[in-house]
PDB file of all heavy atoms in Angstrom:
ATOM      1  N   ILE B 295      24.830  -0.641 -27.134  1.00 95.00           N
ATOM      2  CA  ILE B 295      24.351  -2.025 -27.013  1.00 95.00           C
ATOM      3  C   ILE B 295      24.902  -2.896 -28.135  1.00 95.00           C
ATOM      4  O   ILE B 295      25.159  -4.085 -27.932  1.00 95.00           O
ATOM      5  CB  ILE B 295      22.803  -2.033 -26.969  1.00 95.00           C
ATOM      6  CG1 ILE B 295      22.338  -1.449 -25.619  1.00 95.00           C
ATOM      7  CG2 ILE B 295      22.241  -3.431 -27.171  1.00 95.00           C
ATOM      8  CD1 ILE B 295      20.882  -1.103 -25.562  1.00 95.00           C
ATOM      9  N   LEU B 507      45.063  25.021  -6.300  1.00 96.00           N
ATOM     10  CA  LEU B 507      44.155  25.582  -7.310  1.00 96.00           C
ATOM     11  C   LEU B 507      43.962  27.065  -7.014  1.00 96.00           C
ATOM     12  O   LEU B 507      43.460  27.439  -5.949  1.00 96.00           O
ATOM     13  CB  LEU B 507      42.831  24.822  -7.317  1.00 96.00           C
ATOM     14  CG  LEU B 507      42.916  23.400  -7.905  1.00 96.00           C
ATOM     15  CD1 LEU B 507      41.566  22.702  -7.827  1.00 96.00           C
ATOM     16  CD2 LEU B 507      43.401  23.429  -9.349  1.00 96.00           C
ATOM     17  N   GLN B 684      18.693  21.635   6.859  1.00 97.00           N
ATOM     18  CA  GLN B 684      19.091  22.834   6.104  1.00 97.00           C
ATOM     19  C   GLN B 684      17.864  23.500   5.486  1.00 97.00           C
ATOM     20  O   GLN B 684      17.716  24.725   5.523  1.00 97.00           O
ATOM     21  CB  GLN B 684      20.091  22.472   5.002  1.00 97.00           C
ATOM     22  CG  GLN B 684      21.502  22.257   5.526  1.00 97.00           C
ATOM     23  CD  GLN B 684      22.531  22.118   4.410  1.00 97.00           C
ATOM     24  OE1 GLN B 684      22.225  22.348   3.231  1.00 97.00           O
ATOM     25  NE2 GLN B 684      23.742  21.748   4.767  1.00 97.00           N
ATOM     26  N   SER B 707       5.853  31.056  -0.843  1.00 94.00           N
ATOM     27  CA  SER B 707       4.911  32.177  -0.753  1.00 94.00           C
ATOM     28  C   SER B 707       3.696  31.833   0.101  1.00 94.00           C
ATOM     29  O   SER B 707       3.012  32.711   0.604  1.00 94.00           O
ATOM     30  CB  SER B 707       4.487  32.636  -2.154  1.00 94.00           C
ATOM     31  OG  SER B 707       3.956  31.552  -2.859  1.00 94.00           O
ATOM     32  N   SER B 734      -7.461  21.402  -5.277  1.00 97.00           N
ATOM     33  CA  SER B 734      -7.878  21.473  -3.888  1.00 97.00           C
ATOM     34  C   SER B 734      -6.927  20.674  -2.989  1.00 97.00           C
ATOM     35  O   SER B 734      -6.618  21.079  -1.867  1.00 97.00           O
ATOM     36  CB  SER B 734      -9.308  20.938  -3.781  1.00 97.00           C
ATOM     37  OG  SER B 734      -9.749  20.996  -2.471  1.00 97.00           O
TER      38      SER B 734
END
Side-chain angles (χ1 to χ4, degrees):
Chain B
I295 289 167
L507 288 178
Q684 282 189 9
S707 56
S734 180

